[in-house]
Amino acid sequence: MTAVLTVQGLSAGYGRTIVLRDVSFEVGEGEVACIMGRNGAGKTTLLRSLMGVLPKTGTVRILDADVSHWPGHRINAAGMVWVTQEDSVFPGLTVREHLYIALGGEGVDEGIEAAASLFPVLGERLGQEAQTLSGGERKMLGLAQALIVKPRVVLMDEPTEGVAPVLVEGLIPAIAAVARKAAVVLVEQNIDTALALGSKAHVLERGAIVESGNVQELHDRGVLEQRLAL
Amino acid sequence: MILAAGFLPVDSFNVLVLAAVFILVAVGLHFTFGMLNVVNLVHGELILIGAYTAFQIQQETGNVLLGMALAPLVAGMVGGAMERGVLRFLYDRPLDSLLATFGLSVIIRQVVQLIFSPNPRTLRDPIGGSFVVSGFNIPWWRLVIVIATVVVVVGVSLLLSRTSFGLHARATVVNPGLAETMGVNTGLVRAGLFAIGSAIAGLAGAMLAPISTLNPQFGLLFLVNSFLVVILGGKGSLRGLILAGVVLGGSLAVLQFVISTVLAQIIVLAIAIVGVRVRPLLGQARQERKGRRPRPLSL
């Protein structure tokens, strides 16, 4: 399988503090690579560096394009989108305006229709300021922004974290649907979610990958439980 | 009391003109300080550049209106160049950006003085003529300033609320990290905002020069008032800025009618300080006081 996302020798950190050390992995189309690890292992830092928010060393490629030193907006234009953990929104901007920005102003009507069919509650609140949505609805908005642009690579940071179980049941199929057409890097601490969505897992400890393999196999061997100290 | 003292329709018109002047000089600062958060001490010199551009073109061609049309272009280009060359590296360092804009303001003022000398200059009233209100001749140009202020405010409002650039600008201002990762070229948006703010400052300078005396200190006349209007209005709020412009400009005009100009200015300054301390009219500062400001975003 051709790798859509290739990460080689990636190191990154904050100031003089190195958080990620020599991280390498590949993700192909239709694959979900779960990045697992305890708090502080460097999972979110990995996504930030992939998205161009943090300076880094090493190589990041999307198909044939070396995006290692590209700014975030160019990486986004190359097909990489990020669903953040913090369900971040722009204060003062409506749901419709968020979707407009995600779509880059192109195919807006179709995109908004697609978002509304994925998450009907968003369709009912297009004119509402996004900061007034509930936490779960913001997660849906974040996912909708990522899904409607037909991305090549999707970075997801614990998309079901803090979401009511009844809503998680709706989110998992939506994530699985996008994963069929894109390469997904899923930061996840919940083993059940990783098992439901993931194909491969990479376990991070102190910024380095210490275990890689099929999610189910790692689970069967008890590696995930041991490494995550569950 | 004012009516009893003989407050005439002409005085009401002066209230309108002074409010328009306060708003016009502050709209540019709404972009650079209100939105981009740069304590932009070079704002007065961008006003100065606009005024001297119009003056120079008047001298070269005899056409003041051409000068007024080109003034925002020149000031916008200078502002855009300052943002790209210096200020874009300092968005996360407010003290450094303050020092940088102060330094740039001194440099520009000195360069203008070297080129044009400290002597006062006159920019001709482009249309001339006047109309009569309650027995007083009012230059048509003052009415043009009021109309131009309305056009600028409506234009800025439409730009920010109805265009793709405006949407990207509002997103960049509240969360640049998230905007960048969603495909917004935040560097370009910030440069655009600074250039537009500078261009409006230049336009204000060119339009106000005919009703004032032009010299290298010209921009300083408007710097403090511009900051007062933006801060009292509530940083980031265009509606608040208009309200603050009306309150401060109107107060000054009315007070000048009943007391001396210097005392009026002191009282207006006091109104602004008390207003900022007690109750910013709209915008971020008021939201923060009401506890409505959303939690800081981590991107």
Side-chain angles (χ1 to χ4, degrees), chain B residues 75-133:
Chain B
M77 284 193 292
V78 171
M82 286 192 300
E83 197 278 343
R84 287 290 85 187
V86 180
L87 297 171
R88 71 176 165 132
F89 305 107
L90 306 176
Y91 282 115
D92 296 328
R93 293 151 58 187
L95 187 61
D96 291 343
S97 70
L98 184 147
L99 288 171
T101 57
F102 176 71
L104 287 166
S105 74
V106 173
I107 291 169
I108 291 172
R109 212 159 48 243
Q110 293 303 320
V111 168
V112 167
Q113 186 158 321
L114 278 174
I115 297 172
F116 295 97
S117 88
N119 297 331
R121 309 285 186 164
T122 305
L123 192 66
R124 215 173 51 240
D125 180 337
I127 55 175
S130 60
F131 58 100
V132 178
V133 178

Side-chain angles (χ1 to χ4, degrees), chain A residues 72-73 76 86 89 97 100, chain B residues 167 170 180-181 295 297-298:
Chain A
H73 70 272
N76 175 277
E86 300 93 344
V89 294
E97 288 173 328
Y100 183 97
Chain B
L167 180 58
R170 287 185 286 137
E180 179 76 24
T181 60
R295 66 188 165 82
L297 298 163
S298 56

Side-chain angles (χ1 to χ4, degrees), chain A:
Chain A
M1 184 184 289
T2 311
V4 177
L5 175 68
T6 307
V7 180
Q8 285 176 329
L10 181 71
S11 296
Y14 302 89
R16 292 183 179 179
T17 308
I18 305 297
V19 178
L20 283 180
R21 299 161 203 278
D22 198 24
V23 171
S24 300
F25 64 93
E26 291 182 347
V27 194
E29 186 177 307
E31 275 190 334
V32 177
C34 293
I35 307 295
M36 308 187 77
R38 298 179 194 178
N39 289 336
K43 305 185 295 294
T44 300
T45 301
L46 172 63
L47 299 192
R48 290 168 70 93
S49 61
L50 290 178
M51 203 65 224
V53 175
L54 276 183
K56 56 186 173 282
T57 59
T59 307
V60 179
R61 304 181 77 85
I62 298 174
L63 294 174
D64 292 331
D66 184 347
V67 303
S68 310
H69 303 293
W70 287 13
H73 70 272
R74 280 191 71 193
I75 294 175
N76 175 277
M80 188 187 284
V81 296
W82 183 14
V83 182
T84 62
Q85 184 183 22
E86 300 93 344
D87 50 65
S88 298
V89 294
F90 299 109
L93 267 61
T94 64
V95 170
R96 184 191 298 277
E97 288 173 328
H98 280 76
L99 297 172
Y100 183 97
I101 291 174
L103 289 159
E106 292 174 8
V108 175
D109 290 340
E110 296 84 356
I112 289 176
E113 209 170 291
S117 67
L118 269 173
F119 302 110
V121 67
L122 293 182
E124 295 162 11
R125 300 185 179 190
L126 291 173
Q128 187 173 327
E129 285 192 14
Q131 73 194 94
T132 64
L133 298 175
S134 70
E137 289 163 350
R138 288 190 204 184
K139 289 272 187 191
M140 288 178 193
L141 177 58
L143 274 172
Q145 288 169 178
L147 307 193
I148 60 178
V149 296
K150 300 184 177 68
R152 288 191 174 120
V153 181
V154 182
L155 311 180
M156 292 190 187
D157 200 348
E158 302 198 47
T160 59
E161 171 76 12
V163 180
V166 65
L167 292 177
V168 172
E169 286 175 21
L171 291 181
I172 298 279
I175 296 169
V178 75
R180 282 195 284 275
K181 296 176 184 171
V184 177
V185 179
L186 174 67
V187 162
E188 189 56 69
Q189 293 212 70
N190 184 314
I191 292 178
D192 290 336
T193 307
L195 286 168
L197 290 168
S199 30
K200 283 183 182 169
H202 304 285
V203 180
L204 273 180
E205 270 185 19
R206 294 180 185 175
I209 292 179
V210 291
E211 295 277 358
S212 288
N214 180 280
V215 183
Q216 189 66 53
E217 281 178 18
L218 291 175
H219 172 60
D220 292 344
R221 284 167 39 207
V223 172
L224 296 181
E225 290 76 0
Q226 185 191 345
R227 291 289 186 182
L228 299 177
L230 296 174

